Structures are given as C-alpha cells and as structure tokens.
Amino acid sequence: MKPSCLLLAVLLSLLSCHASADEALAAKMRALFTMADVDHNSALSTEEQAHAVEFVKKTYGEQWSRQIEGMLSRSAMPGKGVTSEGWLKQVGEYTRPVEKRTEKIAMRDGIKLATDIYLPHGEGRFPVILARTPYNRIKHHESAPGFAAGGYAFVNQDMRGRYESEGENIPFIGCGWGEHQDGVDTIEWIKKQPWCNGSIATIGGSAGGITQNLLAGAAPAGLRAQFILVAPADMYSDVSYIGSAFRKADVENWTQGNKFDPKALDIHRAHPSYDDYWRANDTHTRFALMNVPAVNVGGWFDMFAQGTIDQFIGRQHQGGEGSKGTQKLVMGPWHHGIGKMPAGELTFPNASRVPAKYDPVRWFEHYLGGIDNGVEKEPAVAYYVMGDTSTPGAPGNEWRYANDWPIPAKETSFYLTAEKQVVLQAPEQAAPFHEYTFDPANPCPTMGGQNLTIARGTMDQRRVESREDAVVFTSEALDKPVEITGRLWAKIFVSSSAADTDLSVRICDVYPDGRSMLMAEGIQRLRYRKSREKPEVLKPGQIEEVTVDCWSTSLVINTGHRVRVMITSSNFPRFDVNPGTGQPWSEEGEKVKQTNRIYCDAEHPSRLIVPVVGVAADAE
C-alpha cells in the first residue's frame, strides 16, 4: 500500500469508529492533504479530490466518502480548488471539541438520571441519538463527539441507580414497559428540548442493547430507529437460565463485578422457572407493539447469539407497522467483542468489522436525516459462514447475504450410535446404551463457548473429552465439505438414576490434526424438559426423549474434517451444577451422584437435527 493510501486508511479507520475529535485525528487529517497533493502545488485538483473520494467509497462505504467529499466541497475556493488554507480551516472546524452539558432529568416517579448532552456546533434543531448505560456515561462516551460533529445531538445517560443517577441499583429496572419507564420518559424529555427536531434514535451494545430492546417494547412516540449490538430478546432463556440451567459464571461475575445491589443476584436465583418476573422482561411478548427499524448485530460465539437472531425474526415477522419488514441482522464469527479476533483459538479472515453497508452512520443518515442512501434496500441479513482456518482456499470464511432468516436448509438427522459414531443412517436394531455416572463434586470444566466473563469463543475440547463422565461420538472424515447454517437441536433418549440431571451437548469441528474445536453447544436441565414454567422431576430409570437447543451457527466443515458430539451432565462454571435432587443448587443442600444412560438403538434414535445447506451457495 502506498504511504498516502495507508495514511488515508488509518484516518478513515478512526472515523469509522466515531473516534473522538482530538488533536491526533486533526494531525492525521492535516497530513492527508499533503499526501493527496500528488503534484505538490498546495492545492487539490478536481481529479485529486475525486480519487480520494473514490478510494474512501471502495474501502469504507458511501457514508464516509460523502463525509470527505463534503469536507472537500466546503474547503473549495472558486478557481483554486481545495487550498491548503481552506482544508486546514475545515479540519479545524470538524475537529473542534464538542461542548458537553449535564442535566439531571426527572423520571415519572421523581428519580433523576444523570444525562450528558453533546450538541453540534451552531444553532438549530438536530436529530438525536440516545445511549443509556450502566457502565458510567463519563467513561463510555466514545461515539458522542463523532456523532455531534456529524450533525447529531448525542445524549448519554446513566441508567437508574448507576453512578450519578438516583434510584435502586438493580439491572434494567427502568428500561422497559413496567412501573418505571426511564427510556420512555427520557425520550419525552428530549422531544421537548429546543435542540431536538423530533427524530430520535438509539444506539448501544450488550447492556446498551438490552435497554434498547426493552425500550422498543414500550413503543415510545418519537423513536425512529435503533442500532443494537449483542443483545438478547428474553432475559430468562437468553441470559440467566439457558435450558433452565442457571448461567452461573456470567450472571454472578457481571452483577458482582459491576457492583449492583446484591439483591440483584438474589432476584435471579429466586426465579429458576419462567414466571411473571421474567415475562415482564421478555420482548417476545411485545413484538406486535414494536414500530421502528433496527439493525441487530451479533456473533456466533456471543453469549446472546440466539437472542439476537430471535429479536430480528420477531420484529421482522411479528412487528407492528414500521417494524415488520424493516429489520436487519448481522451475524459474524465473533464472541461478545464485535470484530475482535481471534474468536477463542481460531482467527477468521475478513471479519474485523460489521460490513460497511450496515454501518450505523449510514443507518441514521437515512432514518434520521432522510437521505436516500439505499440502506433500507440492502439485504435483510448479512451472515459470516465460518470455515477451516488452516487450509488456504477452504470453503467458507466469507460474508453472505440473504433476504430472511433462517435461510433455506434441509433438516438432516445425524445419528449417534452404539459404536460412538455420528452417521446419517438411523439405527435399525437393538443396541446397548452408553452409561456414565456424574458426580456433582467433580463437574466437567467449561472450555470456551458463548461466555462473557470467562474464556470465550471456540476452543479445543480434547482435554475434557477424555473424562469418564463424557460420552463422545465422532463421524468418519468427510469426503466433501458440508455447510451447516441455522439452528441445531439434539434429540437425546436418556434415563437417570436421579430425580434430576442435566444434558450438556458440545458440537465440534475436528481438524485433521486432531483439534476438536467447539462450534455449537447447548444444555437442558431435565426437570424442565417439558416446560420452562413448571418443573417435573424424573422417574428414575424411565427413558425419555429430551430436546437440547444448541442455538445457531453457520459453518462449512471441510473435507477431511470430522463431526464430534460430546454429551455429559455439566459445564462448570458456565452453568451451576445440578445436585440431582430436583431442587436448585445450594452449598448446604443434598447432592447425589447421577448414573445416566444414553440410548442409541432403533427404538431410541438419539440424534442431532442439523440444517444442511449446499456449499455452492452464492457469496457476495
């Protein structure tokens, strides 16, 4: 890359992250002029400007090419092109520090929330972007100056009970449609301000995405669009109780590490079943009321992966006017850090950012600024198909696009056998079962996966596959690539000696060198096998078919690779340990060993249900 192009790449990389307008950015923008001035005449000709704009368009998308084009246009002088003096003036204007002011906004119950407002330079009414955070608005304001410089008022707020905001310090207590509706009240306050033109959008990831989903369920007037990263739809089944097993490490570490009131963790533990508490925070119940377009960004290894997909599907197909048919979904090969590589122990190429056509600036340009940039016509779904990261030219490892989700796929059964194989043929006769004993005092360790506060992403599972309480099934080496894109389910026939046990399923892509890389996983607490609302203990020794939701993925398993399935009864500390008694875990409570049997015969065909797609699918 030429030095001039490298400098421009660095500059636009900063811009695309909405970096704060500081002296470092100003210095790079000043240097850009010198590098772009190829004939060294202290002026940029029309041709030199056009080349710069075209490079930006190809590399970073239309929104940033328009930003540079606009700056060049404002710098131009009749008959002289863009002079050094004019460019320096424009750079100074663009990077001039944005002033911030702080308000304490009263909610409907009188509680006041600390809120920072960043306004563009000059007078007028502006579209507004709102972010709400439990992580301290003063430390998490990185995008505010960039958006303000782009002509948006940016409002950044500490959630109820957090940092300088008043109220009870319980996560998301005022984010939805319940007694406290802090997001709704904040939007009502913004609409009344002289600097607001009436068009408001929201942005944020993780907790900042959860509050957006809950806000959408309240359907506030004035909300026009949302940009949501790594956020769930259902606070029970996506967050705290996966398969009704308590998500121990992340819930405990997050609530305690962020210094929420200890009562917050007690509340989670006090509601092991899906009940009215969880229903009041489940956006599935509110899709029909949602009325705004949103971009939903997630990762295959993210802790909220399936929730992100479900949020898109619910809004896209069940949403009200303004929501139905206007949603976008972006799923990359990421854990909770969008664009971060490696994703555990594998590095996927061309995955360092959200595709430019789904950039938040472009989204807000259209829905807040009224610019006809075509963003609403982009494919509804962008998804990254993972592949073999060790073999050059292996299929997969690319972005693809679709008009809906899930994409067409053939649900295919991969059967587990008495010989510990994974095969396509259903068993035709009786066969012995696989038996293991799970001891709650010795749970199977977590090795990566869809986590937040502990090691995350895809990791080699061989260290745990040799455990005596693990049953491992492996296919023959594939003679051709197989693409799996969509949601995976395990249908396992099981019996137990105990009143309760867990089925933990890990699905791996086994490389020719022996690495067993975790690609999908699930767990099911068996007393909730029939209903997440009403637990029912097991009858010892009775065979039952249990469904384990292994969430979704998109992966091409390459020629020479194998498919592996590991079944055990724990995944600790990702999930709490099942004591086997039919009661929730407690340190003082009784624990019993659980002798479990997995059946793989003609009458009890344990299997995976896998969405198989032809590998010749068109890629963009």
Side-chain angles (χ1 to χ4, degrees), residues 64-137:
W64 293 118
S65 69
R66 286 197 297 273
Q67 175 64 45
I68 295 300
E69 186 175 30
M71 292 178 67
L72 290 169
S73 176
R74 291 189 291 273
S75 304
M77 299 181 66
K80 296 183 180 180
V82 175
T83 65
S84 176
E85 180 182 3
W87 179 251
L88 292 176
K89 181 178 179 181
Q90 185 62 214
V91 169
E93 179 66 23
Y94 185 84
T95 59
R96 181 155 55 105
V98 175
E99 293 185 7
K100 177 191 77 174
R101 65 187 186 208
T102 301
E103 300 271 0
K104 291 292 186 72
I105 302 176
M107 301 293 102
R108 63 187 62 189
D109 62 347
I111 291 294
K112 295 181 179 179
L113 304 188
T115 308
D116 290 340
I117 299 103
Y118 301 78
L119 296 179
H121 298 304
E123 300 296 326
R125 294 177 177 268
F126 309 101
V128 180
I129 297 173
L130 168 66
R132 306 184 67 246
T133 179
Y135 298 128
N136 191 344
R137 76 190 194 286

Side-chain angles (χ1 to χ4, degrees), residues 458-478:
T458 177
M459 292 185 176
D460 190 346
Q461 302 296 302
R462 284 178 292 181
R463 183 165 69 85
V464 296
E465 289 172 350
S466 60
R467 288 174 58 96
E468 292 185 358
D469 62 354
V471 185
V472 178
F473 304 85
T474 307
S475 74
E476 296 292 332
L478 300 183

